[in-house]
Amino acid sequence: MEIGEETRRVVVSWFVPNGDTHQHATLDALPLDGGGVSTLGGHDYAEAPAARDRRMQHIRPFCDLCFTAYLKLHRAQPNWKG
C-alpha cells in the first residue's frame, strides 16, 4: 500500500479496464505501459490500461465492490477529476 509523502493518505489509483464501463480501484501502482493489478474490491486481477491519470472520475460509474472497499479505507480521501 502506498502512502502519499505530502498528505500521509493512502494512495488509491482508479482505472477503467479496456472494454469495461466502470472504474475500478487498486492500491498497486498503475503500470506505465498497462498490465494486471489487484483490485481493491477483491475480485481477481484486472488489466489496467497504460497509466495516464489515477484520479477517480466522478462522472463515470464505479465498480460497487471497489468503491465500497474504498469507503472503508482509513485515511483515504478522494482526488477528483472532473
Side-chain angles (χ1 to χ4, degrees):
M1 178 181 341
E2 184 181 353
I3 304 283
E5 289 183 25
E6 295 175 14
T7 61
R8 304 301 303 157
R9 295 183 185 139
V10 174
V11 176
V12 177
S13 296
W14 295 86
F15 64 97
V16 179
N18 291 332
D20 198 340
T21 58
H22 289 74
Q23 295 179 84
H24 295 268
T26 185
L27 297 176
D28 296 347
L30 291 178
L32 293 177
D33 295 328
V37 294
S38 60
T39 62
L40 189 57
H43 49 83
D44 296 326
Y45 278 84
E47 286 291 319
R52 290 185 205 103
D53 192 352
R54 65 181 186 196
R55 295 175 293 173
M56 65 172 59
Q57 298 177 30
H58 68 283
I59 58 174
R60 183 180 289 274
F62 300 100
C63 162
D64 289 340
L65 294 172
C66 287
F67 191 71
T68 299
Y70 167 75
L71 293 176
K72 293 179 181 180
L73 285 176
H74 178 66
R75 298 170 77 165
Q77 289 190 345
N79 184 359
W80 296 100
K81 177 182 179 187

